[in-house]
Amino acid sequence: MRAILRIVLFFFIFSVVTVITGYVTFGLLTTSKSIAVPDLRGKSLLDANGILSGVKLYLKVEGETYDSVIPNGQIAKQNIPAGNKIKEGRTISVVMSKGKRSQTAEDLRGQPVEKTQDMVAVNKQDVAKVIEVHSDTVEEGKVIAQWPSPEDKGGGEVSVVMSKGPYASPVYCPDFMGQDVAQAQELAKSIGLEVNITGTGVRINAQLPAPNTVIKKGSTVELKATFSDE
């Protein structure tokens, strides 16, 4: 009989404690204030801790990550987005920025542009921009300059300047009429023109474009050679 009474008494005390604990917990949950989570991104740990202490929230550092925008030593991410409502006493977990990922750039100068992407991929970089300019010294399609340079440390992106070759300088088309084939070829070569000669003769009696027409250096002039009595 006494054993039964002890068991009944135990369950009674247990029930009372459970009810009291639940009531206290419910009271704490319903009476604690809701806090709008502050934006901690870009803040130092000292500043973030001060902000959270003022609204009865707590700070926990979860780790580090590279970030191209937020400087080293400042908060890059937080687990609860800014503006969300939470109860006071909660903990905000953050990830700290390690700044930009620093890498040594490959030397791309003088390389064909089509090879540069594979070259920078070794360092997990990317050719983000290709700027084209004319150059009298660097062959068309090859890299003149780059940012960052091989002497500098850079991030994940590389920009290059590619040569478009020299400017196509304008020239006046000479008058080839009446010249023999050898003379016409020598004259064209001297001013950077190509000639396409048709006919079986030895003297030029037709040309296209006409004499004194403005054309680009490197252009081809069509010439027709006939015998002098044709």
Side-chain angles (χ1 to χ4, degrees), residues 77-156:
K77 301 177 182 178
Q78 59 189 84
N79 69 325
I80 303 177
N84 280 21
K85 295 283 189 176
I86 60 174
K87 296 294 184 181
E88 62 184 15
R90 292 277 303 275
T91 297
I92 308 296
S93 298
V94 300
V95 176
M96 304 302 297
S97 171
K98 295 166 65 175
K100 292 183 178 180
R101 188 185 296 273
S102 181
Q103 298 166 308
T104 301
E106 292 285 331
D107 190 350
L108 307 176
R109 294 169 297 189
Q111 297 294 329
V113 167
E114 61 267 20
K115 291 185 178 181
T116 57
Q117 185 62 57
D118 290 337
M119 293 177 67
V120 301
V122 174
N123 292 330
K124 297 182 179 180
Q125 294 175 309
D126 180 61
V127 177
K129 184 183 294 184
V130 177
I131 303 167
E132 299 182 0
V133 299
H134 287 284
S135 173
D136 291 328
T137 57
V138 179
E139 183 181 339
E140 183 178 358
K142 292 190 175 181
V143 175
I144 301 172
Q146 68 184 88
W147 295 279
S149 71
E151 295 79 20
D152 297 332
K153 295 276 188 177

Side-chain angles (χ1 to χ4, degrees), residues 3-219:
I4 294 174
L5 288 174
R6 282 199 298 269
I7 293 172
V8 172
L9 181 61
F10 172 79
F11 278 106
F12 175 76
I13 294 172
F14 177 78
S15 299
V16 171
V17 171
T18 301
V19 170
I20 293 173
T21 302
Y23 178 79
V24 171
T25 302
F26 178 78
L28 290 173
L29 290 174
T30 55
T31 56
S32 58
K33 294 193 303 182
S34 292
I35 306 297
V37 176
D39 189 355
L40 304 178
R41 293 169 300 175
K43 303 287 193 304
S44 67
L45 281 178
L46 183 62
D47 290 342
N49 193 57
I51 292 170
L52 294 183
S53 296
V55 292
K56 297 183 180 180
L57 296 174
Y58 299 96
L59 182 67
K60 180 182 179 182
V61 177
E62 290 284 0
E64 295 180 302
T65 185
Y66 289 105
D67 194 288
S68 60
V69 176
I70 298 176
N72 180 39
Q74 297 181 1
I75 293 173
K77 301 177 182 178
Q78 59 189 84
N79 69 325
I80 303 177
N84 280 21
K85 295 283 189 176
I86 60 174
K87 296 294 184 181
E88 62 184 15
R90 292 277 303 275
T91 297
I92 308 296
S93 298
V94 300
V95 176
M96 304 302 297
S97 171
K98 295 166 65 175
K100 292 183 178 180
R101 188 185 296 273
S102 181
Q103 298 166 308
T104 301
E106 292 285 331
D107 190 350
L108 307 176
R109 294 169 297 189
Q111 297 294 329
V113 167
E114 61 267 20
K115 291 185 178 181
T116 57
Q117 185 62 57
D118 290 337
M119 293 177 67
V120 301
V122 174
N123 292 330
K124 297 182 179 180
Q125 294 175 309
D126 180 61
V127 177
K129 184 183 294 184
V130 177
I131 303 167
E132 299 182 0
V133 299
H134 287 284
S135 173
D136 291 328
T137 57
V138 179
E139 183 181 339
E140 183 178 358
K142 292 190 175 181
V143 175
I144 301 172
Q146 68 184 88
W147 295 279
S149 71
E151 295 79 20
D152 297 332
K153 295 276 188 177
E157 294 185 344
V158 180
S159 297
V160 300
V161 178
M162 182 192 79
S163 171
K164 293 175 65 177
Y167 279 102
S169 303
V171 295
Y172 288 96
C173 184
D175 186 354
F176 293 100
M177 299 294 289
Q179 297 184 10
D180 63 41
V181 170
Q183 286 178 322
Q185 290 174 326
E186 187 64 30
L187 175 59
K189 182 179 179 181
S190 69
I191 58 176
L193 296 176
E194 301 288 336
V195 290
N196 180 38
I197 301 175
T198 58
T200 58
V202 295
R203 196 167 299 280
I204 306 300
N205 77 338
Q207 71 175 77
L208 187 69
N212 297 318
T213 301
V214 177
I215 57 177
K216 292 181 179 179
K217 186 178 289 188
S219 298

